[in-house]
Amino acid sequence: MGNWIINHGLTSFILVVWMGINIFLFVWFYLFYDLGDAYYYTRHLLGSALAWARAPAAVLNFNCMLILLPVCRNLLSLLRGSFVCCGRTMRKQLDKNISFHKLVAYMIALMTAVHLIAHLLNVEWYNNSRRGVYDQLSTALSNLEDTDNTTYLNPIRKTDVDAQQTPTYFVFTTIAGLTGVIITLALILIITSSMEVIRRSYFEVFWYTHHLFVIFFIGLVFHGAGFIVRKQLTTDPPHNFTLCKDRIEEWGQIPECPLPKFGGGPAQTWWWVIGPMILYLCERLLRFIRYMQTVQYRKIVMHPSKVLELQLVRDGFKMDVGQYIFLNCPAISQLEWHPFTMTSAPEEDFFCVHIRSAGDWTDRLIDIMQHLPEGAQGPKMGVDGPFGTASEDVFDYEVSMLVGAGIGITPFASILKSIWYKFKTSNPKLRTRKIYFYWLCRETHAFEWFADLLQVLEREMEERGMGDFLTYKLYLTGWDQSHATHAWVHFDEETDVVTGLKQKTHYGRPVWDKEFEEVRQENPSSVVGTFLCGPAVLGKVLEKKCAKFSDVDPRKTRFYFNKENF
């Protein structure tokens, strides 16, 4: 329990607060509409469906206010910089922005479903009341017209339409109905295209449909202006429903029972979303300004396994280790932006990304670069960023475990390069005294582009008598018997047959219990930061190991899990 609190306590507290606010809003507005005197006559027409429609609407307003904030990347980077003086646990919450974004989206989807079903029932009951299907009071309330002395309660005004067609006619001819259909369809497309299988296999579908959020928010702002849910207004003399509900014939005839007046609104949704919408507009404006800045190609290199290296230069660009940028290539698509972790170090006068073939966009970019004449500049490239990630905190730990899978090595390339520069200049601010590095790859060629850096680091550590500073283990997870036989034949050689490094390549996957136990024994009183850039399945395994091998006693070894999230 202690380990769980260390790693998840603040996250759980934030989620409890968020859920508590949702529950409070739902209960408060449910009781407001279910018990409020101003809605007595409205409840007579609609029953409990009134409260079931309005309570989810309040929760929707709150979550629509939140949904844009986790994707304001520049805002998050600003907050991360502001939290430097705070603990690492506080900054870690910003790395879970996409998870929170999804959680808020699920709540929006759930509340939309409840809101939609309740209003479908409301329209049916409005229609039946208008046609005199129910009691005398319902009919009298539905027949109130807009005159100088009264205002209507039932929003269905036309009776010359077929009874079966009236709900459909109402939905597509009113502001509330039409905008409701539009935002519901937009939400369905956004959520379905965000499924993992679609996002991984058809990223362009996900990208374009996600921008329906613009239509969603425009419709949302105007949706409440339809005023289909109306309340009783105060009149002089007042209309006392407890006395007058049974004296319908005397409405307007006696002072105690003047004709009741009803009104809707005011529309409240824009109160909730106007702030986040302005923040997001500022975010997009800043992205556009960055897009317009000139980006120069310093070097274009094609590595084995279809890995493209781009070394870029932009005026005023400053980065930190482990950060990422978004790239846009107008020659491929004017609208698509894709995230890539930088592999360069802050000490270098350029920034660099390694791009693996992983879809239509990356395939087309690699194809364009391969057909460029020797020494030519590549196509126009828009760069947005840099943005902070969990890997920025790597030097805040005495001991760090870096775990990369495949191209997930990229943030750690930046870290290891920066370490090399820090050693080269004897930087006294380097507090990290030990790094464990694990790289898992399916193919032998994937090691090639990064092996040169590791060889340089090996030599640098040996020359400075710090051979124990960096412990790295490379794991080849995709291999056959010929690989194993070849490795066995050359086992006695000083360097590895796959990478050319002194550290031999391991075949298979790490036994994480053994690795964590080894780190714990070698660092009996240290805070160990475990950093992963790789699949979610591996992340769950490492997160459990961090909790398992951490000691609640602050004087002993503690593991903190950090994962890259895009």
Side-chain angles (χ1 to χ4, degrees), residues 68 123 147 192 197 220 271 304 324 394 419 433 441 448-449 471 486 527 555 565:
L68 290 177
V123 171
T147 66
T192 52
V197 61
L220 194 67
W271 298 353
Y324 68 98
V394 67
I419 289 172
R433 56 180 179 79
C441 271
E448 294 177 11
W449 70 271
T471 298
H486 183 62
V527 177
R555 296 168 296 180
N565 292 292

Side-chain angles (χ1 to χ4, degrees), residues 332-380:
I332 301 174
S333 171
Q334 291 279 353
L335 299 177
E336 288 186 45
W337 291 80
H338 293 265
F340 297 95
T341 305
M342 288 179 286
T343 53
S344 51
E347 293 82 359
E348 294 173 316
D349 59 358
F350 62 91
F351 59 99
C352 175
V353 293
H354 283 72
I355 301 172
R356 176 174 61 91
S357 173
D360 293 342
W361 191 91
T362 52
D363 285 344
R364 291 180 65 184
L365 180 64
I366 291 172
D367 185 63
I368 290 172
M369 297 301 181
Q370 286 178 324
H371 289 87
L372 286 175
E374 186 71 27
Q377 282 281 308
K380 174 179 170 55

Side-chain angles (χ1 to χ4, degrees), residues 284-516:
R284 296 307 290 252
L285 179 61
L286 182 57
R287 294 184 194 179
F288 178 75
I289 292 172
R290 286 176 172 169
Y291 169 76
M292 296 302 293
Q293 292 178 314
T294 303
V295 176
Q296 300 261 332
Y297 289 85
R298 183 178 181 271
K299 185 184 288 187
I300 301 172
V301 182
M302 195 68 214
H303 293 284
S305 300
K306 295 196 76 173
V307 173
L308 172 68
E309 178 184 353
L310 298 180
Q311 294 183 10
L312 307 170
V313 178
R314 189 182 76 185
D315 289 341
F317 189 91
K318 295 180 180 180
M319 62 164 288
D320 203 348
V321 293
Q323 290 187 325
Y324 68 98
I325 56 175
F326 276 79
L327 295 182
N328 168 267
C329 183
I332 301 174
S333 171
Q334 291 279 353
L335 299 177
E336 288 186 45
W337 291 80
H338 293 265
F340 297 95
T341 305
M342 288 179 286
T343 53
S344 51
E347 293 82 359
E348 294 173 316
D349 59 358
F350 62 91
F351 59 99
C352 175
V353 293
H354 283 72
I355 301 172
R356 176 174 61 91
S357 173
D360 293 342
W361 191 91
T362 52
D363 285 344
R364 291 180 65 184
L365 180 64
I366 291 172
D367 185 63
I368 290 172
M369 297 301 181
Q370 286 178 324
H371 289 87
L372 286 175
E374 186 71 27
Q377 282 281 308
K380 174 179 170 55
M381 189 70 71
V383 176
D384 185 25
F387 302 108
T389 67
S391 297
E392 277 187 78
D393 300 331
V394 67
F395 295 132
D396 292 339
Y397 294 91
E398 300 170 349
V399 180
S400 293
M401 293 177 67
L402 312 180
V403 183
I407 199 67
I409 192 63
T410 49
F412 307 136
S414 173
I415 292 167
L416 295 177
K417 282 183 182 180
S418 184
I419 289 172
W420 182 74
Y421 279 108
K422 285 177 174 24
F423 275 125
K424 199 171 181 181
T425 59
S426 300
N427 191 326
K429 294 182 180 180
L430 182 63
R431 59 177 294 189
T432 304
R433 56 180 179 79
K434 180 69 176 178
I435 286 182
Y436 298 86
F437 174 56
Y438 305 86
W439 189 10
L440 288 66
C441 271
R442 293 180 181 176
E443 303 172 344
T444 56
H445 295 301
F447 290 121
E448 294 177 11
W449 70 271
F450 193 61
D452 292 342
L453 173 61
L454 289 176
Q455 288 177 351
V456 171
L457 282 170
E458 270 186 343
R459 290 195 301 268
E460 189 74 24
M461 302 305 170
E462 286 183 1
E463 290 174 3
R464 295 178 177 272
M466 298 182 66
D468 293 333
F469 177 84
L470 175 65
T471 298
Y472 64 91
K473 297 183 179 181
L474 311 182
Y475 291 84
L476 185 62
T477 58
W479 55 281
D480 54 27
Q481 190 58 41
S482 62
H483 281 111
T485 303
H486 183 62
W488 179 256
V489 170
H490 298 275
F491 180 76
D492 293 333
E493 295 184 10
E494 289 188 6
T495 58
D496 184 66
V497 293
V498 176
T499 63
L501 297 165
K502 292 184 178 181
Q503 174 67 49
K504 302 293 184 178
T505 299
H506 299 265
Y507 291 84
R509 300 181 185 277
V511 180
W512 291 114
D513 281 337
K514 177 183 175 184
E515 300 299 331
F516 273 82

